[in-house]
Amino acid sequence: MATTSTTGSTLLQPLSNAVQLPIDQVNFVVCQLFALLAAIWFRTYLHSSKTSSFIRHVVATLLGLYLALFCFGWYALHFLVQSGISYCIMIIIGVENMHNYCFVFALGYLTVCQVTRVYIFDYGQYSADFSGPMMIITQKITSLACEIHDGMFRKDEELTSSQRDLAVRRMPSLLEYLSYNCNFMGILAGPLCSYKDYITFIEGRSYHMTQAGENGKEETQYERTEPSPNTAVIQKLLICGLSLLFHLTICTTLPVEYNIDEHFQATASWPTKIIYLYISLLAARPKYYFAWTLADAINNAAGFGFRGYDKNGAARWDLISNLRIQQIEMSTSFKMFLDNWNIQTALWLKRVCYERTSFSPTIQTFILSAIWHGVYPGYYLTFLTGVLMTLAARANFLKER
């Protein structure tokens, strides 16, 4: 019998009992499958060629808030509070310093919620919690604030090429802001996307190309054929199925919690402990592969995530992909693992911290990563160790050169 508590709907409790999984996990998976169907409907019946951007924003936002309420109950109000206050800060403070104020508020609000969830309520009580979506919303709030600051305050020559590409040149409306933060495609599991990419998708400009005019300044815009995401979605759903099957099969036999079992620690040999640790963690990772790949498939099914064509002319639907499984499992260094794991978060850390600080950017980036992930002590141990590993690897690389 699944006995884990939930802050969301208990409508699916019978299903939770039948499959012997916590109700929060069942709510999450069912809502994501619903979002997948909604994404197909959204692309088919609310395509940008058939309806206005206003309608697409409204529907995407309302569906997102409904899924949030179903999964997290009244805790989903935190999403609106965090987004609403951040929007007020942007409007009131102005473009010169709003990115700093938004950063402090959004990260601070997230941290307060994480502290109350972990240390005031039961430690580790819920298999899914409302701070997960808040982590993505925090990324979106801080990213957009920086992009508006770059586009409306800084000079173009002061920006890097990526900052120039992502710069936002006008203040978003409240509806656009809420749609970006709380749309149904990314409200539960992300992934992070840039505001500019999201608005381009909503307005139906994802397939427009620009070409410089004869004077080098004027740009001519033309539309290319819209590719179908069906193949990419099916491939990602197959990966989801295999990941979930592998995770449920192996984790039932080799649970990761057994690593800290007192009897196992007292009786097992050192090589056995290492082998068991490796295999159990190998089986634990696919749950992230499942969640992130499904989230990617949902966005693709709605028509979002098209990057362009590769050298063979095949459509690429990896604009907001969050991981590369083969590179992760075959990684030969800590850096290679980080480069292919939670890709959009790594880009966020680079854009809002590493590129914007002049004092110890590596250390500050890892500290930000630890704070953003939560208040479990293991996060701080992991990322502070990561600082040492990264600095040591960099020093060794420079020495070899």
Side-chain angles (χ1 to χ4, degrees):
M1 181 70 68
T3 58
T4 303
S5 301
T6 180
T7 58
S9 173
T10 57
L11 181 66
L12 300 176
Q13 187 66 60
L15 178 61
S16 172
N17 295 338
V19 298
Q20 293 292 297
L21 288 174
I23 180 65
D24 275 2
Q25 291 184 7
V26 172
N27 281 351
F28 172 81
V29 173
V30 170
C31 282
Q32 285 294 75
L33 293 177
F34 174 81
L36 178 64
L37 296 177
I40 297 172
W41 171 82
F42 190 82
R43 179 172 179 268
T44 304
Y45 295 100
L46 292 183
H47 192 275
S48 58
S49 62
K50 299 178 180 179
T51 189
S52 66
S53 298
F54 176 81
I55 296 298
R56 282 164 64 85
H57 277 304
V58 169
V59 172
T61 305
L62 292 179
L63 282 175
L65 293 176
Y66 172 76
L67 294 180
L69 284 169
F70 190 92
C71 280
F72 308 109
W74 70 268
Y75 286 98
L77 291 176
H78 285 294
F79 308 162
L80 290 176
V81 172
Q82 187 187 33
S83 297
I85 294 178
S86 296
Y87 187 76
C88 290
I89 290 174
M90 291 195 335
I91 298 297
I92 295 171
I93 298 300
V95 296
E96 181 177 357
N97 295 308
M98 67 168 187
H99 61 304
N100 293 323
Y101 285 92
C102 283
F103 182 91
V104 172
F105 168 76
L107 191 63
Y109 193 92
L110 172 65
T111 302
V112 169
C113 289
Q114 289 171 330
V115 168
T116 56
R117 184 186 68 83
V118 172
Y119 294 112
I120 296 179
F121 300 107
D122 291 339
Y123 188 95
Q125 176 185 3
Y126 302 110
S127 56
D129 68 89
F130 68 95
S131 67
M134 284 188 67
M135 294 168 71
I136 305 298
I137 293 175
T138 298
Q139 289 182 334
K140 291 182 176 181
I141 289 171
T142 53
S143 294
L144 178 54
C146 288
E147 290 160 5
I148 294 174
H149 173 73
D150 291 342
M152 298 181 65
F153 179 75
R154 299 176 67 190
K155 298 178 180 178
D156 278 358
E157 53 267 26
E158 299 174 350
L159 306 176
T160 65
S161 58
S162 63
Q163 289 172 346
R164 196 175 300 113
D165 291 339
L166 297 175
V168 176
R169 308 292 179 177
R170 69 170 180 86
M171 191 68 68
S173 69
L174 180 59
L175 175 61
E176 290 171 332
Y177 191 75
L178 290 177
S179 175
Y180 173 58
N181 285 343
C182 302
N183 67 81
F184 74 95
M185 299 172 291
I187 186 68
L188 297 183
L192 170 69
C193 63
S194 76
Y195 175 80
K196 202 168 183 178
D197 286 336
Y198 179 73
I199 293 298
T200 297
F201 155 70
I202 289 292
E203 295 179 353
R205 295 182 286 108
S206 301
Y207 313 104
H208 289 177
M209 297 288 289
T210 56
Q211 186 174 17
E214 293 182 0
N215 59 6
K217 293 183 179 180
E218 296 180 359
E219 291 186 343
T220 303
Q221 192 175 77
Y222 63 93
E223 189 171 345
R224 56 189 171 187
T225 304
E226 179 178 343
S228 170
N230 294 342
T231 301
V233 171
I234 292 172
Q235 290 175 344
K236 290 173 183 179
L237 291 178
L238 287 175
I239 292 173
C240 289
L242 292 174
S243 298
L244 187 62
L245 178 64
F246 184 82
H247 171 68
L248 293 178
T249 302
I250 304 300
C251 277
T252 302
T253 308
L254 303 172
V256 69
E257 293 83 5
Y258 192 62
N259 284 286
I260 57 175
D261 181 79
E262 292 183 0
H263 178 72
F264 177 71
Q265 288 292 324
T267 59
S269 63
W270 181 79
T272 300
K273 294 177 183 177
I274 296 298
I275 293 172
Y276 187 89
L277 177 65
Y278 176 79
I279 296 176
S280 61
L281 290 179
L282 179 67
R285 285 197 294 273
K287 68 180 179 181
Y288 297 100
Y289 299 163
F290 168 79
W292 286 340
T293 305
L294 179 57
D296 196 11
I298 291 168
N299 281 273
N300 291 169
F304 185 33
F306 177 67
R307 185 189 291 271
Y309 296 92
D310 62 18
K311 60 183 179 181
N312 298 317
R316 296 178 58 189
W317 288 90
D318 61 349
L319 178 66
I320 54 174
S321 294
N322 223 3
L323 76 168
R324 304 183 188 96
I325 297 176
Q326 182 177 353
Q327 287 86 336
I328 289 171
E329 297 300 337
M330 303 297 290
S331 61
T332 56
S333 67
F334 184 64
K335 182 181 184 303
M336 184 176 177
F337 183 91
L338 291 181
D339 286 345
N340 295 286
W341 173 272
N342 208 350
I343 297 170
Q344 301 306 319
T345 292
L347 288 173
W348 171 70
L349 291 167
K350 176 184 177 182
R351 291 168 181 168
V352 305
C353 183
Y354 190 85
E355 292 182 343
R356 297 177 187 273
T357 182
S358 57
F359 176 74
S360 302
T362 300
I363 295 175
Q364 290 195 47
T365 300
F366 272 98
I367 291 175
L368 172 59
S369 183
I371 295 172
W372 175 80
H373 273 86
V375 292
Y376 289 108
Y379 288 135
Y380 293 89
L381 178 62
T382 298
F383 289 105
L384 292 178
T385 303
V387 171
L388 298 177
M389 294 178 66
T390 301
L391 293 177
R394 184 177 299 169
N396 183 61
F397 174 76
L398 295 174
K399 183 178 179 181
E400 290 179 352
R401 292 185 64 185

